[in-house]
Amino acid sequence: MRAVSRARLGVNDRSVVLYVGGASPWQKTDLMMDVFTALRTRLPSAFFLIITSDAQAFRALALV
């Protein structure tokens, strides 16, 4: 099941950081995005999988 899910997402052997939650201010989503950006400087193949009902808020953060 894991292999099927990874293949479907196209992440295969990549390291995946998973966030499940919203984008309320107390969840510090801007800081979370900064941390992931810093991680990618050390691990360029890292993939950030965000499962949320606030997709628009995360899209806006990703474009900054």
Side-chain angles (χ1 to χ4, degrees):
M1 190 163 154
R2 179 179 183 268
V4 170
S5 295
R6 285 178 149 281
R8 188 184 65 214
L9 291 169
V11 296
N12 300 312
D13 292 332
R14 295 170 67 181
S15 295
V16 177
V17 175
L18 174 64
Y19 174 77
V20 180
S24 298
W26 62 269
Q27 290 167 306
K28 305 289 186 193
T29 52
D30 54 343
L31 178 60
M32 184 176 29
M33 296 297 280
D34 290 344
V35 168
F36 182 73
T37 299
L39 172 68
R40 290 221 41 204
T41 64
R42 292 182 175 238
L43 189 61
S45 65
F47 183 84
F48 197 10
L49 177 58
I50 301 169
I51 299 174
T52 185
S53 60
D54 295 327
Q56 190 61 33
F58 283 97
R59 279 190 197 99
L61 285 170
L63 296 175
V64 171

Coordinates of all heavy atoms in Angstrom, one line a residue:
M1 N 0.8 -1.2 0.0 CA 0.0 0.0 0.0 C 0.9 1.3 0.0 O 0.6 2.2 -0.7 CB -0.9 0.0 1.2 CG -2.0 1.0 1.2 SD -3.2 0.5 2.4 CE -3.9 2.0 2.8
R2 N 1.9 1.2 0.8 CA 2.9 2.4 0.8 C 3.5 2.6 -0.5 O 3.5 3.8 -1.0 CB 4.0 2.1 1.8 CG 5.0 3.2 2.0 CD 6.0 2.8 3.0 NE 7.0 3.8 3.2 CZ 8.2 3.9 2.6 NH1 8.5 3.0 1.7 NH2 9.0 4.9 2.8
A3 N 4.0 1.6 -1.2 CA 4.6 1.7 -2.5 C 3.6 2.2 -3.5 O 3.9 3.1 -4.4 CB 5.2 0.4 -2.9
V4 N 2.4 1.8 -3.5 CA 1.3 2.2 -4.4 C 1.0 3.7 -4.2 O 0.9 4.5 -5.1 CB 0.0 1.3 -4.3 CG1 -1.1 2.0 -5.0 CG2 0.3 -0.1 -4.7
S5 N 0.9 4.1 -2.9 CA 0.6 5.5 -2.6 C 1.8 6.4 -3.1 O 1.6 7.5 -3.7 CB 0.4 5.7 -1.1 OG -0.8 5.0 -0.7
R6 N 3.0 6.0 -2.8 CA 4.2 6.8 -3.2 C 4.3 6.9 -4.8 O 4.6 7.9 -5.3 CB 5.5 6.2 -2.7 CG 5.6 6.4 -1.2 CD 6.9 5.8 -0.7 NE 7.5 6.5 0.4 CZ 8.2 7.6 0.3 NH1 8.5 8.1 -0.9 NH2 8.7 8.2 1.4
A7 N 4.0 5.8 -5.4 CA 4.0 5.8 -6.9 C 2.9 6.7 -7.4 O 3.2 7.5 -8.4 CB 3.8 4.4 -7.4
R8 N 1.7 6.7 -6.9 CA 0.6 7.5 -7.3 C 1.0 9.0 -7.1 O 0.6 9.8 -8.0 CB -0.6 7.2 -6.5 CG -1.9 7.9 -7.1 CD -3.1 7.6 -6.3 NE -2.9 8.2 -4.9 CZ -3.3 7.7 -3.8 NH1 -4.0 6.6 -3.8 NH2 -3.1 8.3 -2.7
L9 N 1.7 9.3 -6.1 CA 2.1 10.7 -5.8 C 3.3 11.1 -6.6 O 3.7 12.3 -6.6 CB 2.3 10.9 -4.3 CG 1.1 10.9 -3.4 CD1 1.5 10.9 -2.0 CD2 0.2 12.1 -3.7
G10 N 4.0 10.1 -7.1 CA 5.3 10.4 -7.9 C 6.4 10.7 -7.0 O 7.4 11.4 -7.4
V11 N 6.4 10.2 -5.7 CA 7.5 10.5 -4.8 C 8.5 9.4 -4.6 O 9.6 9.6 -4.2 CB 7.0 11.0 -3.5 CG1 6.3 12.3 -3.6 CG2 6.2 10.0 -2.8
N12 N 8.1 8.2 -5.0 CA 8.9 7.0 -5.0 C 9.9 7.0 -3.8 O 9.5 6.8 -2.7 CB 9.6 6.8 -6.3 CG 8.6 6.6 -7.4 OD1 7.7 5.8 -7.3 ND2 8.7 7.4 -8.5
D13 N 11.2 7.2 -4.0 CA 12.2 7.1 -2.9 C 12.6 8.4 -2.3 O 13.5 8.5 -1.5 CB 13.5 6.4 -3.5 CG 13.3 5.0 -3.8 OD1 12.4 4.3 -3.2 OD2 14.0 4.5 -4.7
R14 N 11.8 9.4 -2.6 CA 12.1 10.8 -2.0 C 11.7 10.8 -0.6 O 10.8 10.1 -0.1 CB 11.4 11.8 -2.8 CG 11.8 12.0 -4.2 CD 10.9 12.9 -5.0 NE 11.0 14.3 -4.6 CZ 10.3 15.2 -5.1 NH1 9.4 15.0 -6.1 NH2 10.4 16.5 -4.7
S15 N 12.4 11.7 0.2 CA 12.0 11.9 1.6 C 10.7 12.8 1.5 O 10.7 13.8 0.7 CB 13.1 12.7 2.3 OG 14.2 11.9 2.4
V16 N 9.7 12.5 2.3 CA 8.5 13.2 2.3 C 8.2 13.8 3.7 O 8.3 13.1 4.7 CB 7.3 12.3 1.9 CG1 6.0 13.0 2.0 CG2 7.5 11.7 0.6
V17 N 8.0 15.1 3.8 CA 7.5 15.7 5.0 C 6.0 15.9 4.9 O 5.5 16.4 3.9 CB 8.2 17.1 5.1 CG1 7.7 17.9 6.3 CG2 9.7 17.0 5.2
L18 N 5.3 15.4 5.9 CA 3.8 15.4 5.8 C 3.3 16.4 6.8 O 3.7 16.4 8.0 CB 3.3 14.0 6.1 CG 1.8 13.9 6.2 CD1 1.1 14.2 4.9 CD2 1.5 12.5 6.7
Y19 N 2.4 17.3 6.4 CA 1.6 18.1 7.3 C 0.1 17.9 7.1 O -0.3 17.9 5.9 CB 1.9 19.6 7.0 CG 1.1 20.5 7.8 CD1 1.4 20.7 9.2 CD2 0.0 21.2 7.3 CE1 0.6 21.6 9.9 CE2 -0.8 22.0 8.0 CZ -0.5 22.2 9.4 OH -1.3 23.0 10.1
V20 N -0.6 17.6 8.2 CA -2.0 17.4 8.1 C -2.6 18.5 9.1 O -2.3 18.4 10.3 CB -2.4 16.0 8.5 CG1 -3.9 15.9 8.5 CG2 -1.8 15.0 7.7
G21 N -3.3 19.4 8.5 CA -3.9 20.4 9.4 C -4.4 21.7 8.6 O -4.3 21.7 7.3
G22 N -4.7 22.7 9.3 CA -5.2 23.9 8.7 C -4.1 25.0 8.6 O -3.0 24.7 8.7
A23 N -4.6 26.2 8.2 CA -3.7 27.3 8.0 C -4.0 28.5 8.9 O -3.8 29.6 8.6 CB -3.7 27.7 6.6
S24 N -4.5 28.2 10.1 CA -4.8 29.2 11.1 C -3.5 29.9 11.6 O -2.5 29.2 11.6 CB -5.6 28.7 12.3 OG -6.8 28.1 11.9
P25 N -3.5 31.1 12.0 CA -2.3 31.8 12.4 C -1.5 31.0 13.5 O -0.3 31.0 13.5 CB -2.8 33.1 12.9 CG -4.1 33.4 12.1 CD -4.7 32.0 12.0
W26 N -2.3 30.4 14.5 CA -1.6 29.7 15.6 C -0.8 28.5 15.1 O 0.0 27.9 15.8 CB -2.6 29.4 16.7 CG -3.7 28.4 16.3 CD1 -4.9 28.8 15.8 CD2 -3.7 27.0 16.3 NE1 -5.7 27.7 15.5 CE2 -4.9 26.6 15.8 CE3 -2.7 26.1 16.7 CZ2 -5.2 25.2 15.7 CZ3 -3.1 24.7 16.6 CH2 -4.3 24.3 16.1
Q27 N -1.1 28.1 13.9 CA -0.4 26.9 13.3 C 0.9 27.2 12.7 O 1.7 26.3 12.3 CB -1.3 26.1 12.4 CG -2.5 25.5 13.1 CD -3.6 25.0 12.2 OE1 -4.1 25.7 11.4 NE2 -3.9 23.7 12.3
K28 N 1.3 28.5 12.6 CA 2.6 29.0 12.2 C 3.0 28.4 10.8 O 4.1 28.0 10.6 CB 3.7 28.7 13.2 CG 3.4 29.2 14.6 CD 3.6 30.7 14.6 CE 3.4 31.1 16.1 NZ 3.2 32.5 16.1
T29 N 2.0 28.5 9.9 CA 2.3 27.9 8.5 C 3.4 28.6 7.8 O 4.1 28.0 7.1 CB 1.0 27.9 7.7 OG1 0.5 29.3 7.7 CG2 0.0 27.0 8.2
D30 N 3.6 29.9 8.0 CA 4.7 30.6 7.4 C 6.0 30.1 7.9 O 6.9 29.9 7.1 CB 4.6 32.1 7.6 CG 4.4 32.5 9.0 OD1 4.1 31.7 9.9 OD2 4.7 33.7 9.3
L31 N 6.1 29.9 9.2 CA 7.4 29.3 9.7 C 7.6 27.9 9.2 O 8.7 27.5 8.8 CB 7.3 29.3 11.2 CG 8.5 28.7 12.0 CD1 9.7 29.4 11.6 CD2 8.2 28.7 13.5
M32 N 6.5 27.1 9.1 CA 6.6 25.7 8.6 C 7.1 25.7 7.1 O 8.0 24.9 6.8 CB 5.2 25.1 8.6 CG 5.2 23.6 8.2 SD 3.6 22.8 8.4 CE 2.5 24.1 8.2
M33 N 6.7 26.6 6.3 CA 7.1 26.7 4.9 C 8.6 27.1 4.9 O 9.4 26.6 4.1 CB 6.3 27.7 4.2 CG 4.8 27.3 4.0 SD 4.6 25.8 3.1 CE 4.7 26.4 1.4
D34 N 9.0 28.1 5.8 CA 10.4 28.5 5.9 C 11.3 27.3 6.3 O 12.4 27.1 5.7 CB 10.6 29.6 6.9 CG 10.0 30.9 6.4 OD1 9.7 31.1 5.2 OD2 9.8 31.8 7.3
V35 N 10.9 26.5 7.2 CA 11.6 25.3 7.7 C 11.8 24.3 6.5 O 12.9 23.8 6.3 CB 11.0 24.7 8.9 CG1 11.6 23.3 9.2 CG2 11.1 25.6 10.1
F36 N 10.7 24.1 5.8 CA 10.8 23.2 4.6 C 11.7 23.7 3.6 O 12.5 23.0 3.0 CB 9.4 22.9 4.0 CG 9.6 21.9 2.9 CD1 9.9 20.5 3.2 CD2 9.4 22.3 1.6 CE1 10.0 19.6 2.1 CE2 9.6 21.4 0.6 CZ 9.9 20.1 0.8
T37 N 11.7 25.0 3.3 CA 12.6 25.6 2.3 C 14.0 25.4 2.7 O 14.9 25.1 1.9 CB 12.2 27.1 2.2 OG1 10.9 27.3 1.7 CG2 13.2 27.8 1.2
A38 N 14.3 25.6 4.0 CA 15.7 25.4 4.5 C 16.1 23.9 4.4 O 17.2 23.6 4.0 CB 15.8 25.9 6.0
L39 N 15.2 23.0 4.7 CA 15.4 21.6 4.5 C 15.8 21.3 3.1 O 16.7 20.5 2.8 CB 14.2 20.8 4.9 CG 14.3 19.3 4.6 CD1 15.4 18.6 5.5 CD2 12.9 18.6 4.8
R40 N 15.1 21.9 2.1 CA 15.4 21.6 0.7 C 16.8 22.1 0.2 O 17.3 21.5 -0.7 CB 14.3 22.2 -0.2 CG 13.0 21.5 0.0 CD 12.2 21.2 -1.2 NE 12.8 20.8 -2.4 CZ 12.3 20.9 -3.6 NH1 11.2 21.5 -3.7 NH2 12.9 20.5 -4.7
T41 N 17.4 23.0 1.0 CA 18.8 23.4 0.6 C 19.7 22.2 0.9 O 20.8 22.1 0.3 CB 19.2 24.7 1.3 OG1 19.3 24.4 2.7 CG2 18.3 25.8 1.0
R42 N 19.4 21.4 1.9 CA 20.2 20.3 2.3 C 19.8 19.0 1.6 O 20.6 18.1 1.5 CB 20.2 20.1 3.8 CG 20.9 21.2 4.6 CD 20.8 20.9 6.0 NE 21.6 21.9 6.7 CZ 22.7 21.7 7.5 NH1 23.0 20.4 7.7 NH2 23.3 22.6 8.1
L43 N 18.5 18.9 1.3 CA 17.9 17.7 0.7 C 17.0 18.1 -0.4 O 15.8 18.2 -0.3 CB 17.2 16.9 1.8 CG 16.7 15.5 1.5 CD1 17.8 14.6 1.1 CD2 15.9 15.0 2.6
P44 N 17.6 18.4 -1.6 CA 16.8 19.0 -2.7 C 15.7 18.1 -3.2 O 14.7 18.6 -3.8 CB 17.9 19.2 -3.8 CG 19.2 19.2 -3.1 CD 19.0 18.4 -1.9
S45 N 15.8 16.8 -3.0 CA 14.7 15.9 -3.4 C 13.5 15.8 -2.5 O 12.5 15.1 -2.8 CB 15.3 14.6 -3.7 OG 15.7 14.0 -2.5
A46 N 13.6 16.5 -1.4 CA 12.5 16.4 -0.4 C 11.2 16.9 -1.0 O 11.1 17.8 -1.8 CB 12.8 17.3 0.9
F47 N 10.1 16.3 -0.5 CA 8.7 16.6 -1.0 C 7.9 17.0 0.2 O 7.9 16.3 1.2 CB 8.2 15.4 -1.7 CG 6.8 15.6 -2.4 CD1 6.7 16.2 -3.6 CD2 5.7 15.2 -1.7 CE1 5.5 16.3 -4.2 CE2 4.4 15.4 -2.3 CZ 4.3 16.0 -3.5
F48 N 7.1 18.1 0.1 CA 6.3 18.5 1.2 C 4.8 18.2 0.8 O 4.3 18.8 -0.1 CB 6.5 20.0 1.4 CG 6.0 20.5 2.7 CD1 5.6 19.7 3.7 CD2 5.9 21.9 2.9 CE1 5.1 20.2 4.9 CE2 5.4 22.4 4.1 CZ 5.1 21.6 5.1
L49 N 4.3 17.2 1.5 CA 2.9 16.8 1.2 C 2.0 17.4 2.3 O 2.2 17.2 3.5 CB 2.8 15.3 1.3 CG 1.4 14.7 1.1 CD1 0.8 15.1 -0.2 CD2 1.4 13.2 1.3
I50 N 1.1 18.3 1.8 CA 0.2 19.0 2.7 C -1.2 18.5 2.5 O -1.7 18.6 1.4 CB 0.3 20.5 2.5 CG1 1.7 21.0 2.7 CG2 -0.7 21.3 3.4 CD1 2.0 22.4 2.2
I51 N -1.8 18.0 3.5 CA -3.2 17.5 3.5 C -4.0 18.5 4.3 O -3.8 18.6 5.5 CB -3.3 16.1 4.0 CG1 -2.5 15.2 3.1 CG2 -4.8 15.7 4.0 CD1 -2.4 13.7 3.6
T52 N -4.9 19.3 3.6 CA -5.6 20.4 4.3 C -6.9 20.7 3.6 O -7.0 20.4 2.4 CB -4.7 21.6 4.4 OG1 -5.3 22.6 5.2 CG2 -4.3 22.2 3.0
S53 N -7.7 21.4 4.3 CA -8.9 21.9 3.7 C -8.7 23.4 3.3 O -9.5 24.0 2.8 CB -10.1 21.8 4.6 OG -9.9 22.5 5.8
D54 N -7.5 23.9 3.7 CA -7.1 25.3 3.4 C -6.1 25.4 2.3 O -5.1 26.1 2.4 CB -6.5 25.9 4.7 CG -7.5 26.1 5.8 OD1 -8.7 26.3 5.5 OD2 -7.1 26.0 7.0
A55 N -6.3 24.7 1.2 CA -5.4 24.6 0.1 C -5.0 25.9 -0.4 O -3.8 26.2 -0.8 CB -5.9 23.7 -1.0
Q56 N -5.9 26.8 -0.6 CA -5.7 28.2 -1.1 C -4.6 28.9 -0.3 O -3.8 29.6 -0.8 CB -7.0 29.0 -1.3 CG -6.8 30.3 -2.0 CD -6.3 30.0 -3.5 OE1 -6.6 29.0 -4.1 NE2 -5.5 30.9 -4.0
A57 N -4.7 28.8 1.0 CA -3.8 29.5 1.9 C -2.4 29.0 1.7 O -1.4 29.7 1.6 CB -4.2 29.4 3.4
F58 N -2.2 27.7 1.5 CA -0.9 27.1 1.3 C -0.4 27.4 -0.1 O 0.8 27.6 -0.2 CB -0.9 25.6 1.6 CG -1.0 25.2 3.0 CD1 -2.1 25.0 3.7 CD2 0.2 25.2 3.8 CE1 -2.1 24.7 5.0 CE2 0.2 24.9 5.1 CZ -1.0 24.6 5.8
R59 N -1.2 27.5 -1.1 CA -0.8 27.9 -2.4 C -0.2 29.3 -2.3 O 0.8 29.6 -2.9 CB -2.0 27.8 -3.4 CG -2.3 26.5 -3.9 CD -3.3 26.5 -5.1 NE -3.8 25.2 -5.3 CZ -5.0 24.8 -4.8 NH1 -5.8 25.6 -4.2 NH2 -5.4 23.6 -5.0
A60 N -0.9 30.2 -1.6 CA -0.4 31.5 -1.5 C 1.0 31.6 -0.8 O 1.9 32.3 -1.2 CB -1.4 32.4 -0.7
L61 N 1.2 30.8 0.2 CA 2.5 30.7 0.9 C 3.5 30.1 0.0 O 4.7 30.6 0.1 CB 2.4 29.9 2.2 CG 1.6 30.5 3.4 CD1 1.4 29.4 4.5 CD2 2.5 31.6 3.9
A62 N 3.2 29.2 -0.8 CA 4.2 28.5 -1.7 C 4.7 29.4 -2.7 O 5.8 29.3 -3.3 CB 3.6 27.2 -2.3
L63 N 3.9 30.4 -3.1 CA 4.2 31.3 -4.2 C 5.1 32.5 -3.7 O 5.6 33.3 -4.5 CB 3.0 31.9 -4.9 CG 2.2 30.8 -5.6 CD1 0.9 31.4 -6.2 CD2 3.0 30.1 -6.7
V64 N 5.2 32.7 -2.4 CA 6.0 33.8 -1.9 C 7.5 33.6 -2.0 O 8.0 32.5 -2.0 CB 5.7 34.0 -0.4 CG1 6.6 35.0 0.3 CG2 4.2 34.4 -0.2

